[in-house]
């Protein structure tokens, strides 16, 4: 799903409000509305990566819902609606952002010609494809850096005596660290773009965690939401210092 600022920008470019003064918004009578919507739905289904459906609700409300999907299904679909409505004291056909995952939606845009909708959908598709290629390149680079991070953490783990598990989400690297042979871990998530900088901080981080551990300090947060995307724990090689409980006399 494209970011809201991107959707707003494309709506402004493809449906400029100044056209209202020169061309005028599309207006359809109630008697012809259903047949007009059905023709629009059939026309839009011919656009690749696009599905359109005519919806008629109780009370006579009708609209065409449009879904633009990523060609390789690597991102969430983008949803829009075309319906007869009144906005800003202007009655006619408006297109609006209707992605159900979005809490805030872009303002509706006036439709002055059906070709504007097709131009807009092509612009959405082009942006989705561009972002998908960018994400794939980023993922490839991040994967290489993650492999380097894992190798470096193994070295540091052997040197400083800590265990770790590593994984990643769409935007973050998820790192868990256990110190002093304990079973409970400390869990961190940081942006992939900060990966190189974080590596340099790991020795100081481990030293600080050991001090906190000896003081009985624990964090209440855990990694249950992304633990399944991490690899197995990589244990530090023995021997390393462990605290042994004192024997009672």
């Amino acid at each position: 799903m494209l970011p809201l600022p991107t959707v707003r920008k494309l709506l402004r470019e493809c449906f400029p409000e100044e056209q209202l003064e020169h061309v005028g918004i599309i207006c359809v009578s109630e008697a012809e509305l259903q047949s007009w919507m059905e023709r629009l739905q059939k026309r839009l289904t011919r656009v690749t990566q696009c599905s359109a459906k005519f919806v008629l609700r109780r009370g006579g409300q009708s609209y065409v819902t449009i879904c633009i999907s990523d060609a390789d299904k690597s991102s969430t679909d983008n949803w829009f609606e075309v319906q007869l409505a009144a906005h800003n004291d202007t009655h006619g056909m408006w297109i609006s952002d209707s992605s159900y995952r979005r809490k805030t939606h872009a303002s509706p845009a006036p439709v002055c010609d059906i070709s504007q909708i097709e131009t807009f959908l092509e612009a959405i598709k082009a942006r989705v494809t561009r972002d998908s290629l960018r994400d794939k390149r980023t993922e490839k680079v991040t994967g290489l850096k993650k492999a380097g991070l894992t190798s470096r953490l193994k070295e540091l783990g052997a040197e400083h005596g800590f265990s770790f598990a590593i994984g990643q989400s769409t935007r973050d690297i998820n790192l868990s660290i256990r110190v002093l042979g304990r079973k409970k871990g400390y869990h961190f998530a940081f942006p992939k773009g900060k990966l190189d900088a974080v590596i340099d901080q790991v020795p100081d981080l481990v030293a600080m965690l050991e001090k906190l551990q000896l003081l009985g300090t624990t964090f209440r947060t855990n990694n249950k939401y992304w633990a399944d995307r991490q690899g197995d724990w990589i244990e530090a090689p023995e021997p390393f210092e462990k605290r042994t409980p004192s024997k009672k006399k």
Side-chain angles (χ1 to χ4, degrees), residues 158-174:
E159 181 180 351
H160 297 278
F162 66 87
S163 306
F164 70 93
I166 191 170
Q168 62 181 313
S169 62
T170 303
R171 299 183 181 277
D172 297 329
I173 294 292
N174 302 318

Side-chain angles (χ1 to χ4, degrees), residues 60-176:
Q61 183 185 12
S62 61
Y63 57 90
V64 171
T65 180
I66 307 166
C67 175
I68 294 292
S69 59
D70 187 356
D72 58 7
K73 303 296 183 183
S74 61
S75 63
T76 309
D77 297 337
N78 292 271
W79 292 83
F80 304 95
E81 288 181 1
V82 177
Q83 62 178 323
L84 188 67
H87 294 284
N88 302 326
D89 298 324
T90 302
H91 183 77
M93 286 294 169
W94 294 79
I95 184 169
S96 58
D97 167 30
S98 62
S99 296
Y100 64 93
R101 291 178 178 269
R102 215 189 294 280
K103 292 183 179 179
T104 303
H105 292 84
S107 300
V111 180
C112 299
D113 191 281
I114 294 179
S115 62
Q116 288 182 305
I117 302 176
E118 295 169 324
T119 300
F120 173 70
L121 298 181
E122 292 296 337
I124 291 289
K125 286 164 49 182
R127 190 59 183 260
V128 167
T129 300
R130 192 193 77 174
D131 290 356
S132 178
L133 292 174
R134 180 202 61 196
D135 292 342
K136 286 178 181 178
R137 289 194 296 268
T138 302
E139 196 71 21
K140 183 177 181 180
V141 172
T142 300
L144 294 173
K145 288 187 176 182
K146 180 187 167 188
L149 174 62
T150 302
S151 177
R152 179 61 178 146
L153 286 172
K154 285 182 179 179
E155 297 174 0
L156 293 172
E159 181 180 351
H160 297 278
F162 66 87
S163 306
F164 70 93
I166 191 170
Q168 62 181 313
S169 62
T170 303
R171 299 183 181 277
D172 297 329
I173 294 292
N174 302 318
L175 175 65
S176 297

Side-chain angles (χ1 to χ4, degrees), residues 31-43:
E32 299 175 345
L33 181 59
Q34 182 170 341
S35 60
W36 189 93
M37 288 286 195
E38 290 174 343
R39 289 195 301 273
L40 175 64
Q41 179 261 328
K42 291 179 181 179
R43 179 169 171 173

